[in-house]
Amino acid sequence: MGILRKKSIGIAITSNSVRAMVLYGNKKEIITGPYFNVELSEGAIIDGEIRNYLELKKALFSIKKKTGFNKIVLSARTPETDLFREIGVKIVWFESEQESAHRAMFFLQDKGTYMMVDIGKERTIISVVSGGEICYSKQIGIN
């Protein structure tokens, strides 16, 4: 294993927790580092809507202190962008969840047509990718 220089942080905000994992890597390999989980009270986030802004802000600040991240590529809505700015994190890029999934799953040169389906606990997102671009996306709430 070579020297792993680059450090990245993956953060997931769900209805009941904020989770983060540290990743280290170079062009040849990526390994996982520490994992952190901050539980949120019931009702802090309902159907993707932040109901307890202060609690989420404290959870994100806790993760920031533990991991030391200060820049982020963000896949979120406007209230989340404000949260990251308020805890002193610079947003260097913004993309939708669908764009993030597309970038992770397909080569940039792949111009085929595909359907991506993200089945979640509270919602499902169906997206159609064609010619390297997302041409259709629909979110369906699950009750």
Side-chain angles (χ1 to χ4, degrees), residues 82-98:
D82 293 343
L83 272 170
F84 283 99
R85 286 185 184 111
E86 287 176 20
I87 64 169
V89 174
K90 180 180 179 183
I91 299 168
V92 294
W93 186 260
F94 183 85
E95 63 187 4
S96 70
E97 288 181 64
Q98 294 83 6

Side-chain angles (χ1 to χ4, degrees), residues 56-90:
L56 183 55
K57 183 177 175 179
K58 286 179 182 178
L60 284 168
F61 189 72
S62 171
I63 296 285
K64 179 187 175 196
K65 282 176 43 179
K66 292 174 184 175
T67 62
F69 79 94
N70 60 5
K71 293 184 212 169
I72 190 166
V73 173
L74 193 59
S75 172
R77 296 184 199 117
T78 303
E80 288 90 341
T81 61
D82 293 343
L83 272 170
F84 283 99
R85 286 185 184 111
E86 287 176 20
I87 64 169
V89 174
K90 180 180 179 183

Side-chain angles (χ1 to χ4, degrees), residues 5 17 21 29 33 39 43 47 63 102 115-116:
R5 294 173 291 198
S17 68
M21 178 173 283
E29 59 187 328
E39 296 290 327
D47 296 329
I63 296 285
H102 172 256
M115 181 185 320
M116 296 188 308

Side-chain angles (χ1 to χ4, degrees), residues 111-128:
K111 303 299 181 192
T113 300
Y114 305 94
M115 181 185 320
M116 296 188 308
V117 180
D118 175 4
I119 301 173
K121 184 177 178 182
E122 297 172 351
R123 51 102 177 112
T124 294
I125 301 174
I126 300 169
S127 301
V128 177

